[in-house]
Amino acid sequence: SSKIKSRKMDSHEDYLTATIAGSLYGTAKRQNIPYKLIQKMTEIFNWEIDFAREVRSGDQFSIVYEAYYIDDKLVNTGEIIAVRYTTSHGVVHQAIRHANAGGDYDYFTPQGTSLKKAFSRYPIKFSHISSTYSLSRYHPVLHYRRPHKGVDLAASIGTPVHATGDGRVEVIDRHNGYGNMVKISHSKLYSSLYAHLLRFQKGLSRGDHVKRGQVIGYVGQTGLADGPHCHYEFHVNRQPKNPSTVELPRASPVPAREIASFKAKAHTLLAQLKLYETASLAAAGKKPAATG
């Protein structure tokens, strides 16, 4: 015989704060901070902080997060609600979680600016850049020099190719030397192009709307290609720019109609976080970091 015993799971906001000694992940491990929270924090500040090079001993971070309990025992951690990262030089990075009208969550500065870029830098996971952006490149198939308007991202045949931003499919067909090609219009200002595809994603057609990260095709070597790769172009005002160095725009800020309530929530969360920081550091006999 078997018996099912159900228990109620409660959720509430928990706080943590830590000062880095050595590496970020080493500090988290020593202080039993869930890896999931550290990973999420690095994702949130991905465009603000180079966690591979810029983390220093003395940096401090504090997090408000969802915590789930059964019978007063922590059983799981949820999403980060607010986070502050203060460098040892006093530079402060802050983020607040906010849901848009569609129910999707994102992270913003206390002023409502998005912490996410509107585009991913590249559309695939690649082994290396086999050919860079150039105004005059010797073509490996045609054997003469001409502009190379994008970057060639070397990858195995069949590697999924993702849209680098939200937009509408403007072109999806076989296109001369580009082979199987998809072009996406993201706005009046921005568009992107993906070429030499093995095949397109099943069901994708001209005029379809795609989301950032959505699979649109697969790496091949159709057209004038001497090996499997994705040729990727990023256009601004219909002019090709170097995808590796172009300044990517930020995603949309908190809408004007929501900004007042968002700023009030952000102020409350960050004030609570500061109180927790101060109390924790006082208990440890340390001086709290300055914020600005």
Side-chain angles (χ1 to χ4, degrees), residues 122-129 153-156 158-162 219 229-230:
Y122 299 114
I124 64 169
K125 292 182 178 179
F126 57 93
S127 61
H128 64 283
I129 295 178
L153 309 171
S156 302
T159 299
V161 176
H162 306 266
V219 168
H229 69 275
C230 173

Side-chain angles (χ1 to χ4, degrees), residues 231-269:
H231 173 83
Y232 174 62
E233 296 182 14
F234 188 79
H235 297 184
V236 181
N237 272 331
R238 299 194 173 276
Q239 297 300 312
K241 301 293 181 181
N242 187 344
S244 298
T245 59
V246 66
E247 179 66 28
L248 297 173
R250 288 188 182 270
S252 300
V254 173
R257 64 182 179 277
E258 300 169 16
I259 195 67
S261 61
F262 168 80
K263 285 185 175 180
K265 179 181 75 173
H267 178 77
T268 300
L269 280 168

Side-chain angles (χ1 to χ4, degrees), residues 140-157:
V141 177
L142 298 176
H143 303 298
Y144 63 83
R145 304 191 78 82
R146 69 175 188 174
H148 188 239
K149 299 176 182 179
V151 291
D152 291 346
L153 309 171
S156 302
I157 289 277

Side-chain angles (χ1 to χ4, degrees), residues 22-88:
S23 73
L24 173 60
Y25 284 94
T27 299
K29 188 174 182 180
R30 285 193 301 274
Q31 300 199 24
N32 294 317
I33 297 170
Y35 172 83
K36 175 181 175 181
L37 293 178
I38 300 300
Q39 187 178 39
K40 186 64 183 180
M41 179 177 73
T42 61
E43 287 175 9
I44 292 168
F45 291 131
N46 179 47
W47 294 99
E48 311 298 310
I49 305 168
D50 184 345
F51 283 97
R53 294 183 176 90
E54 295 178 1
V55 171
R56 299 284 184 273
S57 290
D59 290 0
Q60 181 187 320
F61 62 91
S62 302
I63 300 173
V64 185
Y65 62 97
E66 297 170 336
Y68 298 95
Y69 290 83
I70 294 177
D71 296 338
D72 295 325
K73 181 181 179 182
L74 180 67
V75 293
N76 197 13
T77 55
E79 294 294 330
I80 288 177
I81 299 168
V83 55
R84 177 189 288 123
Y85 189 101
T86 306
T87 71
S88 55

Side-chain angles (χ1 to χ4, degrees), residues 166-267:
D166 297 352
R168 180 180 60 82
V169 177
E170 188 177 320
V171 178
I172 179 166
D173 64 14
R174 194 168 180 95
H175 196 79
N176 302 324
Y178 281 115
N180 291 331
M181 183 193 85
V182 174
K183 185 176 182 181
I184 298 173
S185 175
H186 302 287
S187 66
K188 289 181 179 179
L189 191 61
Y190 301 104
S191 61
S192 57
L193 184 150
Y194 316 74
H196 306 311
L197 302 178
L198 173 69
R199 58 186 173 87
F200 307 118
Q201 177 68 348
K202 189 175 180 180
L204 192 65
S205 304
R206 184 174 181 270
D208 286 353
H209 285 272
V210 293
K211 300 289 287 182
R212 177 182 179 178
Q214 182 176 331
V215 175
I216 57 173
Y218 300 86
V219 168
Q221 58 181 89
T222 56
L224 295 174
D226 63 344
H229 69 275
C230 173
H231 173 83
Y232 174 62
E233 296 182 14
F234 188 79
H235 297 184
V236 181
N237 272 331
R238 299 194 173 276
Q239 297 300 312
K241 301 293 181 181
N242 187 344
S244 298
T245 59
V246 66
E247 179 66 28
L248 297 173
R250 288 188 182 270
S252 300
V254 173
R257 64 182 179 277
E258 300 169 16
I259 195 67
S261 61
F262 168 80
K263 285 185 175 180
K265 179 181 75 173
H267 178 77

